[in-house]
Amino acid sequence: MKKLSEQENITGLETVPLNQHPLSNGFIKVCDKIGWLTMEDIFNAGLKKVAGHPKINDEWFDELLVYLKKLGMLYRMNP
């Protein structure tokens, strides 16, 4: 079996359902209501759309940024 590189592991996390990430229930509920089911959905929405969404509050956004920084994926947030 091929061992995945660190970058391949990180990239694979983008398509894992959000409820399988170590994120709060509140974070996941907001994402479900908006229709974002994976990190890829959030990345595709872009930073301005995410930050400007009426269901997004400061705590939600902080949790997203902290988690992405922890994974080394902060660079994936497009403007």
Side-chain angles (χ1 to χ4, degrees), residues 16-69:
V16 172
L18 289 173
N19 63 1
Q20 293 182 20
H21 289 271
L23 297 163
S24 71
N25 287 337
F27 184 97
I28 294 169
K29 284 180 184 179
V30 168
C31 291
D32 285 345
K33 288 178 184 177
I34 296 171
W36 299 332
L37 305 177
T38 65
M39 285 301 217
E40 184 175 39
D41 295 336
I42 296 171
F43 295 147
N44 288 339
L47 190 58
K48 287 183 182 177
K49 187 173 181 181
V50 170
H53 197 285
K55 292 193 182 293
I56 302 301
N57 61 27
D58 290 343
E59 292 82 19
W60 185 97
F61 201 71
D62 287 346
E63 184 173 352
L64 172 66
L65 295 179
V66 166
Y67 185 60
L68 292 178
K69 186 174 180 181

